[in-house]
Amino acid sequence: MSFEHNASPQWIESLYALWLEDPDQVQDQWNAFFRGFAVAQGMIGDVPDPQVALKQSAVQSLIYRHRDIGHLLACTDPLSPCELTHPLLDLEAFELSQDDLDRTFHIRRYQKRSATLREILQVMRETYTRSVGVEFMHIQDPSERQWLIDRMEPVRGRGSYSREEKLRILYKLRQAQVFESHLHRRFLGQKRFSLEGGEVLIPLLDRLVNQAAAAGVRDLVLGMAHRGRLNVLAAIFCKPLATIFAEFEDNVEFGFVGEGDVKYHRGFSTDVGLPDGGRIHLAMASNPSHLEAVDAVVEGKCRARQEAYGAEGRGRVLPVLIHGDAAFAGQGMVAEVLNLSALEGYRTGGTVHVVLNNQIGFTTAPRDARSTLYATDVARMLAVPIFHVHGEDPEAVIFVTDLALQYRQAFGRDVVVEVICYRRHGHNEGDEPYFTQPLMYEKIKERPPVYEIYADHLRSEGLDEEAIDEQRRQIDRWLEVEGARGNRNPRLAGFGGKWSGIERDWKPVAVDTAVDGGRLRSLIDTLTEIPSDFTPHGKIVKQMERRREAVHSDDGIDWSTAEALAFASLLSEETTVRLSGQDSRRGTFSQRHAVLRDVETGRSYCPFERAARGSAAFHIYDSLLSEQAVLGFEYGYSLETPYGLTIWEAQFGDFANGAQVIIDQFIVSGQTKWDRVSGLTLFLPHGYEGQGPEHSSARIERFLQLCAGKNIQVVYPSTPAQFFHLLRRQVKLPFRRPLIVFTPKALLRHPGCVSSIGDFSRGTFREIIPAEKKPEEVATLLLCAGKVYYDLKEKADEEKRDNVAIVRLEQLYPLRTDLLEEVLAPYLKTRRIAWVQEEPRNAGAWNFVRPHLRAILGREPEYVGREEAASPAVGSHRMHKVEQEAILQKAILNVEF
């Protein structure tokens, strides 16, 4: 590599400036380099005139700076007068003057090899300082920068549109305006979160949908918050107006199953016909009021759809996210989802982000909402183009929309379009914005609707009035005809298409999850066979040997082996398995090792891929250090894969509360709010082992508090075989519900926590495991869940307490009270019956199971466990051992420790 390739551009530029002053100031090799450059640029003679060279360099700097910061001068704010100059972009900033305007310069990386400064300046200003401001010079790949330059500068940042295209823009603007006006008159005072002030979003999305379909996109999945949502559903998704009106009248309760949600949170999907005769599937994800929470869900849905399409999937499915300015800058979910965009396990071939900048967040001004110049500055982390466009210049918006889509399709990367507009009303239609933004809203009051602005523009171009009047009549007919149709809200919206074979209602049902012993031995051979040209770590080889030996000799199959057999057996039955989480490939506790590394080459090898049959695939990914975005992604993925096993694993169950919004607003309530079920499984390592407050508890109590209407399954299995059957049951049940599994830590290597091969080849998952002693032999009956069973059993054996029996509640919800009654019936006269848990009294399952046990037993059960605590666990390992021993002493010996 030559010397100039090892130098930074800034250093070379400083040397160049010195050379222009006096060539003798630089070394001979640089002198020769700059002389050659000057000759190539066509400077006078063999030796450049220093003044001419300075001017030449200044022009190059002028071009670069307009591309770099021209957006600072761009006229993009409808509420502010356009700036005409910027000190960093004036001629004087480059030591150029009016006298240089008609001088011809020879320039590089420009559409022409030579041009006058006047022409260059005009191209730069028209491209970068009119209705579109673009940030793209931070992109590190020069080919991407040049690609954008080649599509902006020759047309000077403007598109050329036919009469039909312009009429289409006008129609969608008028449609958006009339829809809002109609809702305002018909449902006076009701919240609708109007799009007024940002109506240009409708022609933007209309153009995006049509251009995407023309580019080969078959599915467009949209995520957006409440503002403008109803307008988008009506004008873009063609949701029946009668259904929207019925939702305002609140008379659709007979057409919806569950408790429902407000009209501006509900999702919708449909196949839409296009003007060119084509069709595209549009899906709007349901979302809560928690801004940006839906972003990751949309990405997960798109990833699953793309995989279903195969190798061409990323070009067939387009994720689109519409953000508010305050939310894009303020919500951490945005940065997390942006960070997903290029990661192996989560990338979706680029997302089109549309930031609808109302210049206000509820009542908060930008100066109080962000510390950055632009609301979109967080997106610079990806080094992708960011367009800022005037919200009252529809053609500029359309130009940027086309360019954004083309960039996404060409490079498979995210792109951001910020539409600067305003919010004509307050946060909602009943809110008074003059209380907090009187000056802003005085300006807004004077602004005509963007439809009228664009109509006047088209009139100035010669558009006849009759064409405009005909559009008005068409839209009036649309409102009249569509609004008069009957409500067409489909009752089974959540159980159509790929979900049509899934039952809606939960019911207690036993499914066959057993796997023949011979098949299990064959599967373990597949999983533990190492290719001859692959050199794993020596400890991994020994672990594989132990797994194989345990299955073949039936010498105690541990938890990790049981999980591996569950995955492999499902894969061999053509069921896809996807697992992601922090460190999931190896496992937080070095227990899984689903992906091996060659210690000599670093090459990876995944044994599970060899177990897959048919169209099944095994996907396992180490996630970024995020809970909320990754769990949201996996939830979205699960919505598109009803027949697969989709798992999110927390590093420790304690960290699941970092994704509490996804748990509360989507996983546990999605069915009752939106009629959308999920089979997502959560692995939450849980157990009190002296590791402190943040590495002990997955907050069992919180999940149980969220249980209602058979909405989720909460399970704390105690044996490897139970875990095996549970995972297989999840995809074999006739219905789907999220599965919350409290998984072990210390039990992964506990010598007593093993199962025999017969436990796998017979039976199914048992919601309750009965006591093993006869009632007449029992003086103390203990009930518990999970890990504490092994502590109790060891203590009873140690103390030789043969009169203690233990019942395990493996499935805490839905609690099978019928089975529990059956199990407890023989022991109702037992002198002492107690619930035992490791967690504090105000945590764990105690407060959930207590009323059920009292009803079955006919008396109050005894509580044995830690006392109430504000923190889940103590930080001292010594204190932990003291507390744990006290629980065991009380449970087994009925004495205080």
Side-chain angles (χ1 to χ4, degrees):
M1 182 176 290
S2 59
F3 67 90
E4 66 267 19
H5 287 94
N6 291 314
S8 72
Q10 293 82 5
W11 185 63
I12 294 175
E13 187 174 347
S14 67
L15 283 180
Y16 185 52
L18 288 173
W19 179 81
L20 289 172
E21 292 176 2
D22 181 2
D24 291 334
Q25 293 188 80
V26 300
Q27 296 178 358
D28 290 344
Q29 58 183 356
W30 283 108
N31 188 4
F33 177 81
F34 291 134
R35 284 171 61 86
F37 172 75
V39 170
Q41 295 300 307
M43 297 179 184
I44 298 172
D46 186 41
V47 180
D49 181 328
Q51 291 302 314
V52 173
L54 280 171
K55 296 281 187 183
Q56 190 78 33
S57 175
V59 173
Q60 290 287 170
S61 295
L62 179 145
I63 293 172
Y64 182 91
R65 194 173 295 174
H66 273 80
R67 291 168 176 170
D68 187 30
I69 63 169
H71 54 85
L72 297 177
L73 186 56
C75 181
T76 58
D77 182 0
L79 301 180
S80 300
C82 296
E83 299 289 340
L84 300 179
T85 62
H86 191 286
L88 293 176
L89 297 172
D90 290 342
L91 288 176
E92 292 76 14
F94 306 95
E95 298 184 7
L96 296 168
S97 69
Q98 297 291 320
D99 296 337
D100 298 311
L101 288 176
D102 294 316
R103 180 174 295 172
T104 298
F105 291 89
H106 304 281
I107 42 185
R108 301 172 66 240
R109 300 188 187 93
Y110 185 69
Q111 54 188 299
K112 298 165 64 177
R113 291 187 60 84
S114 62
T116 65
L117 177 58
R118 187 182 304 277
E119 177 187 344
I120 293 167
L121 192 60
Q122 184 177 12
V123 170
M124 292 297 109
R125 288 180 175 174
E126 291 185 357
T127 302
Y128 299 112
T129 70
R130 290 197 296 177
S131 294
V132 176
V134 55
E135 298 177 82
F136 72 103
M137 293 300 282
H138 60 284
I139 297 174
Q140 297 167 350
D141 187 340
S143 65
E144 288 187 33
R145 295 197 302 268
Q146 193 61 46
W147 186 94
L148 289 162
I149 290 169
D150 292 343
R151 282 155 183 80
M152 293 187 293
E153 292 179 10
V155 297
R156 304 192 182 188
R158 302 289 294 186
S160 178
Y161 304 106
S162 66
R163 181 178 185 274
E164 289 72 23
E165 288 175 309
K166 293 179 179 181
L167 283 172
R168 178 75 178 184
I169 295 170
L170 185 65
Y171 180 90
K172 301 310 285 188
L173 287 172
R174 173 70 177 173
Q175 187 181 29
Q177 180 195 0
V178 169
F179 177 78
E180 296 292 355
S181 300
H182 182 84
L183 291 183
H184 178 71
R185 292 192 306 270
R186 183 167 175 175
F187 306 106
L188 188 64
Q190 286 204 43
K191 288 183 183 180
R192 67 180 191 276
F193 294 99
S194 162
L195 187 58
E196 290 164 280
E199 296 98 326
V200 76
L201 177 66
I202 299 304
L204 182 159
L205 289 176
D206 179 66
R207 182 76 174 194
L208 182 61
V209 167
N210 282 274
Q211 293 298 104
V217 173
R218 297 181 185 176
D219 294 29
L220 186 152
V221 184
L222 177 67
M224 68 179 297
H226 43 279
R227 184 158 314 284
R229 189 181 183 94
L230 298 178
N231 210 316
V232 171
L233 285 170
I236 303 299
F237 281 67
C238 303
K239 183 175 181 177
L241 295 184
T243 300
I244 295 175
F245 298 159
E247 290 169 349
F248 272 95
E249 293 160 355
D250 204 17
N251 64 359
V252 297
E253 62 268 25
F254 298 111
F256 191 83
V257 178
E259 298 164 11
D261 199 352
V262 292
K263 50 193 167 289
Y264 38 79
H265 286 172
R266 295 171 184 165
F268 188 74
S269 64
T270 186
D271 291 324
V272 172
L274 304 175
D276 64 0
R279 299 189 71 80
I280 186 172
H281 181 79
L282 303 181
M284 181 185 288
S286 302
N287 72 282
S289 284
H290 297 65
L291 298 175
E292 307 297 341
V294 76
D295 296 357
V297 177
V298 167
E299 300 296 339
K301 285 171 65 70
C302 288
R303 175 63 177 249
R305 287 178 180 239
Q306 289 171 354
E307 289 178 356
Y309 275 116
E312 302 296 320
R314 288 179 188 161
R316 296 287 181 262
V317 183
L318 175 65
V320 178
L321 294 175
I322 301 176
H323 315 266
D325 52 310
F328 198 78
Q331 291 291 321
M333 175 65 99
V334 173
E336 292 187 25
V337 170
L338 291 173
N339 199 20
L340 291 174
S341 65
L343 302 182
E344 177 190 4
Y346 310 94
R347 58 189 174 217
T348 54
T351 298
V352 176
H353 298 270
V354 178
V355 179
L356 200 64
N357 189 339
N358 296 309
Q359 307 190 58
I360 190 170
F362 205 147
T363 67
T364 302
R367 65 178 177 273
D368 298 315
R370 63 177 187 263
S371 299
T372 58
L373 175 62
Y374 293 118
T376 55
D377 280 350
V378 65
R380 289 175 66 94
M381 64 186 277
L382 294 185
V384 296
I386 302 170
F387 299 95
H388 311 278
V389 59
H390 197 298
E392 290 183 347
D393 189 341
E395 290 185 19
V397 171
I398 296 306
F399 171 77
V400 165
T401 301
D402 288 350
L403 188 55
L405 177 64
Q406 292 165 17
Y407 175 87
R408 186 269 179 186
Q409 293 297 90
F411 296 101
R413 305 185 66 212
D414 285 26
V415 60
V416 180
V417 175
E418 181 191 30
V419 181
I420 295 89
C421 51
Y422 55 84
R423 191 184 67 197
R424 189 167 290 279
H425 304 289
H427 178 66
N428 60 64
E429 289 66 36
D431 192 42
E432 178 50 78
Y434 272 88
F435 290 158
T436 51
Q437 275 80 29
L439 299 182
M440 170 187 267
Y441 273 85
E442 195 62 30
K443 292 180 182 178
I444 291 173
K445 186 174 69 173
E446 301 300 322
R447 300 303 303 166
V450 65
Y451 164 78
E452 295 181 10
I453 294 173
Y454 190 58
D456 287 342
H457 170 72
L458 294 186
R459 289 188 186 100
S460 71
E461 290 186 342
L463 182 66
D464 57 286
E465 199 66 35
E466 175 56 29
I468 296 175
D469 291 339
E470 175 56 26
Q471 282 197 349
R472 291 193 183 113
R473 290 190 289 269
Q474 290 176 4
I475 293 169
D476 288 342
R477 286 196 297 271
W478 169 67
L479 274 174
E480 179 181 354
V481 174
E482 287 296 319
R485 296 181 187 273
N487 176 26
R488 291 178 284 168
N489 192 44
R491 183 180 184 275
L492 299 178
F495 290 87
K498 65 187 71 172
W499 286 87
S500 59
I502 302 296
E503 296 181 10
R504 175 187 298 277
D505 299 322
W506 179 93
K507 59 184 178 183
V509 57
V511 294
D512 183 11
T513 55
V515 176
D516 175 76
R519 188 165 150 232
L520 291 173
R521 285 185 283 271
S522 176
L523 289 171
I524 201 64
D525 287 343
T526 298
L527 295 179
T528 56
E529 182 180 354
I530 307 296
S532 58
D533 61 345
F534 190 87
T535 309
H537 194 284
K539 291 183 179 180
I540 300 298
V541 174
K542 292 180 180 179
Q543 186 182 81
M544 294 295 166
E545 291 173 351
R546 285 195 299 271
R547 287 184 180 181
R548 182 170 57 248
E549 179 63 23
V551 175
H552 278 278
S553 65
D554 198 8
D555 186 25
I557 298 172
D558 66 13
W559 201 278
S560 300
T561 306
E563 178 192 80
L565 290 171
F567 290 165
S569 63
L570 289 172
L571 290 166
S572 71
E573 295 165 5
E574 301 190 29
T575 297
T576 290
V577 176
R578 176 184 169 94
L579 167 61
S580 87
Q582 294 160 27
D583 313 298
S584 287
R585 284 170 169 156
R586 190 204 74 168
T588 299
F589 313 103
S590 195
Q591 83 281 9
R592 181 172 292 123
H593 296 288
V595 177
L596 311 182
R597 290 285 178 182
D598 191 306
V599 296
E600 297 177 356
T601 66
R603 182 165 57 98
S604 64
Y605 169 66
C606 180
F608 288 92
E609 294 175 354
R610 298 181 58 225
R613 297 292 180 269
S615 60
F618 182 72
H619 306 295
I620 186 165
Y621 301 104
D622 294 334
S623 77
L624 69 161
L625 197 62
S626 157
E627 286 78 38
Q628 182 171 231
V630 179
L631 181 55
F633 186 99
E634 301 304 342
Y635 171 79
Y637 190 96
S638 73
L639 295 179
E640 300 291 337
T641 53
Y643 295 100
L645 179 63
T646 304
I647 305 165
W648 175 73
E649 180 176 54
Q651 190 179 63
F652 284 83
D654 316 59
F655 304 156
N657 58 11
Q660 201 66 48
V661 169
I662 302 299
I663 294 168
D664 292 349
Q665 307 304 324
F666 292 93
I667 293 174
V668 305
S669 59
Q671 181 175 9
T672 191
K673 290 193 297 187
W674 309 314
D675 199 31
R676 291 294 186 270
V677 296
S678 163
L680 179 64
T681 297
L682 275 63
F683 285 177
L684 307 178
H686 175 92
Y688 282 62
E689 297 150 6
Q691 296 192 57
E694 279 75 54
H695 295 81
S696 298
S697 175
R699 301 282 190 173
I700 292 174
E701 66 280 0
R702 290 186 178 173
F703 286 96
L704 292 175
Q705 187 182 42
L706 295 170
C707 293
K710 309 296 190 295
N711 60 331
I712 58 176
Q713 305 165 94
V714 180
V715 182
Y716 196 177
S718 61
T719 73
Q722 280 282 86
F723 188 52
F724 170 88
H725 289 297
L726 176 66
L727 295 180
R728 289 179 52 78
R729 185 186 77 161
Q730 179 67 354
V731 295
K732 294 182 177 297
L733 286 167
F735 54 84
R736 293 290 178 268
R737 291 295 185 277
L739 173 62
I740 315 301
V741 187
F742 300 107
T743 54
K745 295 176 291 182
L747 291 187
L748 291 169
R749 295 174 175 84
H750 193 291
C753 186
V754 294
S755 299
S756 69
I757 199 165
D759 297 327
F760 297 85
S761 60
R762 295 188 299 270
T764 185
F765 178 76
R766 295 188 290 172
E767 290 91 341
I768 297 173
I769 299 180
E772 298 175 350
K773 291 184 169 61
K774 297 178 180 179
E776 59 271 19
E777 299 173 350
V778 177
T780 297
L781 181 67
L782 305 177
L783 295 97
C784 67
K787 166 188 167 291
V788 74
Y789 162 77
Y790 291 93
D791 297 334
L792 293 170
K793 186 175 184 301
E794 287 176 12
K795 187 67 174 178
D797 291 345
E798 176 187 317
E799 298 291 341
K800 296 182 171 53
R801 294 297 176 115
D802 296 333
N803 60 352
V804 174
I806 306 173
V807 174
R808 284 172 274 176
L809 274 63
E810 302 281 289
Q811 179 171 295
L812 295 168
Y813 190 83
L815 183 61
R816 291 292 303 274
T817 52
D818 56 330
L819 297 180
L820 189 57
E821 287 181 8
E822 182 181 329
V823 167
L824 294 181
Y827 300 93
L828 293 180
K829 295 182 180 180
T830 301
R831 179 174 58 84
R832 180 173 177 247
I833 301 179
W835 171 263
V836 185
Q837 65 179 37
E838 298 179 297
E839 301 81 9
R841 181 188 286 266
N842 59 328
W846 165 242
N847 288 310
F848 177 79
V849 300
R850 182 181 181 183
H852 295 289
L853 293 177
R854 185 169 55 231
I856 294 172
L857 299 173
R859 54 174 159 150
E860 183 73 19
E862 181 184 343
Y863 169 78
V864 178
R866 287 173 169 82
E867 290 306 311
E868 291 184 353
S871 178
V874 295
S876 163
H877 190 270
R878 182 186 63 81
M879 283 301 301
H880 160 76
K881 293 176 67 176
V882 170
E883 291 180 349
Q884 199 76 357
E885 183 61 25
I887 292 172
L888 300 178
Q889 292 271 14
K890 179 64 176 174
I892 302 301
L893 305 177
N894 196 21
V895 297
E896 302 294 340
F897 178 68

